[in-house]
Amino acid sequence: MYQELLKSKGLKSTPQRVMVLTMVENAGHIDIDQLSEDFKNSGMSVPLATLYRILGELSSVGVLHTVTLSKGKTRYEIAKGDHPHFLCEECGQLEDLKVAMNDIVAIAQNACTHSTNSVSVTLHGICQNCSVNPKKPLKD
Amino acid sequence: MYQELLKSKGLKSTPQRVMVLTMVENAGHIDIDQLSEDFKNSGMSVPLATLYRILGELSSVGVLHTVTLSKGKTRYEIAKGDHPHFLCEECGQLEDLKVAMNDIVAIAQNACTHSTNSVSVTLHGICQNCSVNPKKPLKD
DNA sequence: CTCTATGCAAAAACTTTGCAGGGAT
DNA sequence: ATCCCTGCAAAGTTTTTGCATAGAG
């Protein structure tokens, strides 16, 4: 229940926040424009400023995780521990890779003298769909 | 020699481009504001629009590599093949980790059904300096 | 009832684009 | 002389902030 989750993080439960969490959960990965559009489609129009604030808060308490793509595009996902992503450079699709990060982290941390608390790994390439029917826009 | 490099990529050698390459090389990692400031300090003022264009060109021909941090901050480095980075969440320092990516790539690609052409790995944490004397701004 | 979150509007930060003049080959 | 590059200005994106009101506990 998102209501509990929010409370446990010291945040009040509001319709907007619950909706954001629901939408991010359903989408897997989503950016703010898509969120805004989803809100419109559900009849509930929420200004971008509010979405930015909600996403910022949820990220800072660790409920959401941000994936920053090139050109400052940010996508959000429910934080579920580190995992690698695949990013299609053609269509912008972002896909979770089902791999434990342990080995990756071990290798990388072995070379790192600082204390780390998270690791991001992204593979960049062309997804199968785009290699079959090439599109135009790199929404990345 | 940067002049040769630029020519080999089909780009003309200009003072601005050579300067950008020199500065990126010297800095290791640098963002556009720092570049702009470096230009000012060297007496040669180059508008941001031009820097954006130069950085975009050099990136698209593969001479530079971009590291995109959260909040749309982008840093540039001389492209030298993939390698992991450490990012200090407190001071924003970005550090190259001296590790072959082979093993990391192998593990991640093993779980990826798409064709990939690059991999980015970033460890996030607090650098030694910041854990000793904590600062205020997370410039990330 | 108190205090936080939302909505609105404005601004700040970041990046791109068009066009005219200048420089490299 | 030709064509690419730069500089300038303007516009486009993305994100943040201040303040008054509405809503949650």
Side-chain angles (χ1 to χ4, degrees):
Chain A
M1 204 40 198
Y2 291 132
Q3 193 160 345
E4 317 293 325
L5 177 61
L6 287 166
K7 251 202 256 181
S8 75
K9 299 294 184 180
L11 296 175
K12 293 191 176 178
S13 171
T14 67
Q16 291 85 341
R17 286 175 176 168
V18 173
M19 263 307 242
V20 164
L21 286 172
T22 306
M23 287 170 172
V24 174
E25 175 89 69
N26 290 342
H29 306 91
I30 196 168
D31 63 18
I32 199 156
D33 287 335
Q34 187 62 55
L35 265 178
S36 175
E37 193 159 312
D38 288 359
F39 267 104
K40 283 197 189 71
N41 293 339
S42 74
M44 181 184 183
S45 179
V46 175
L48 282 178
T50 298
L51 291 182
Y52 275 110
R53 259 189 289 231
I54 290 177
L55 292 168
E57 292 158 349
L58 294 180
S59 300
S60 67
V61 298
V63 173
L64 292 183
H65 181 236
T66 68
V67 185
T68 305
L69 311 182
S70 60
K71 308 296 175 189
K73 255 72 169 61
T74 303
R75 300 205 196 152
Y76 299 84
E77 63 188 354
I78 302 286
K80 289 173 177 164
D82 290 332
H83 55 267
H85 291 104
F86 168 78
L87 171 66
C88 177
E89 294 170 336
E90 186 123 348
C91 67
Q93 174 207 168
L94 192 64
E95 181 181 312
D96 289 342
L97 299 182
K98 305 300 184 199
V99 164
M101 292 276 279
N102 298 356
D103 297 333
I104 292 175
V105 171
I107 293 170
Q109 282 186 342
N110 205 37
C112 183
T113 60
H114 308 290
S115 80
T116 62
N117 40 48
S118 71
V119 180
S120 64
V121 174
T122 307
L123 312 193
H124 308 253
I126 307 292
C127 72
Q128 285 149 347
N129 189 28
C130 284
S131 41
V132 176
N133 29 301
K135 298 159 187 168
K136 8 35 287 232
L138 3 181
K139 309 192 316 174
D140 155 42
Chain B
M1 203 36 196
Y2 292 132
Q3 193 159 345
E4 318 291 326
L5 177 61
L6 287 166
K7 254 203 251 180
S8 74
K9 298 296 184 179
L11 296 174
K12 292 189 177 177
S13 170
T14 68
Q16 291 86 342
R17 287 175 175 167
V18 172
M19 261 311 240
V20 165
L21 286 172
T22 306
M23 287 169 172
V24 174
E25 175 89 69
N26 289 343
H29 306 92
I30 196 168
D31 64 16
I32 199 157
D33 287 334
Q34 187 62 56
L35 265 178
S36 175
E37 194 160 312
D38 287 359
F39 267 103
K40 283 198 190 72
N41 293 339
S42 75
M44 181 182 181
S45 179
V46 175
L48 282 178
T50 297
L51 291 182
Y52 275 111
R53 258 189 291 235
I54 290 177
L55 292 168
E57 291 158 352
L58 294 180
S59 299
S60 67
V61 299
V63 173
L64 292 183
H65 181 236
T66 68
V67 185
T68 305
L69 311 181
S70 61
K71 308 295 174 188
K73 255 69 170 61
T74 302
R75 301 205 195 153
Y76 298 84
E77 63 187 354
I78 302 286
K80 289 173 177 165
D82 290 332
H83 56 268
H85 291 105
F86 168 78
L87 171 65
C88 177
E89 295 170 336
E90 186 124 347
C91 67
Q93 175 205 167
L94 192 65
E95 181 180 312
D96 289 342
L97 300 181
K98 307 300 185 198
V99 164
M101 291 276 279
N102 298 355
D103 297 333
I104 292 174
V105 172
I107 292 169
Q109 282 185 341
N110 206 37
C112 183
T113 59
H114 309 290
S115 79
T116 61
N117 40 48
S118 71
V119 180
S120 64
V121 175
T122 307
L123 312 195
H124 308 253
I126 307 293
C127 72
Q128 286 150 346
N129 190 30
C130 284
S131 39
V132 176
N133 29 301
K135 298 158 186 171
K136 9 29 325 208
L138 6 179
K139 310 191 319 173
D140 150 41

